[in-house]
Amino acid sequence: MTRPAAKNTRSRSRRSLLAGLAGLAALAVTIVLLFSQFKLRDGRPDFRDLTLHDVHGRAVQLRDFQGRPLVLHFFRSGCPECWAMAPVLAATGEELDDELRIVRVSLDLLPDEEGHCEIGETDSDTATTNDAAEPKDMRYPVLFDRTGDCTVALIGHEAPVHVVFDSETRLLRRFAGPRTATGLQSIFQACLKEDQERQNL
């Protein structure tokens, strides 16, 4: 009497396994297709041409930040975890201010999972909301991803997300979610060390 139940259990487990494998395969295909749009540099995707925009709509490419390691901090104004990270990022960045550059990337012009945008499309809307949402202890520049290309390429939609590049804009690290000041500083220092090692090659 228990054999049909055991067979059904095995069947469900097999279907779950196949579904999991299919999901992994789809993710792998997505990553391959995503990275295939970029030129390769040293065997890795070249992100230097990714473009963001300042509050006035002027285009800024990642290559414009070459010379020092770069940290992109992806955030949304309506994200509590992003707000919680603001003082942590400010304190950590102040300790390493001479060694790396931090730029905040606002996702407020992009629709969230429910299709809503935090702010409008006009420069005045952007400037007003940016001023209102600016933490008092945050002094880093804010750029906007108006097209979503940068967010998709660097998987920045899981805000807060940090993406670290070396001094030649080669990808070093990407990590999502909040961090303590100690944890964030440890990651940044490891990235600075790796950047120095790359320069010495």
Side-chain angles (χ1 to χ4, degrees), residues 22-32:
L24 289 174
L27 177 61
V29 170
T30 299
I31 293 174
V32 169

Side-chain angles (χ1 to χ4, degrees), residues 98-110:
D98 294 333
E99 301 178 74
L100 54 77
R101 191 190 312 268
I102 296 176
V103 174
R104 299 164 64 220
V105 180
S106 173
L107 306 182
D108 289 348
L109 290 178
L110 301 179

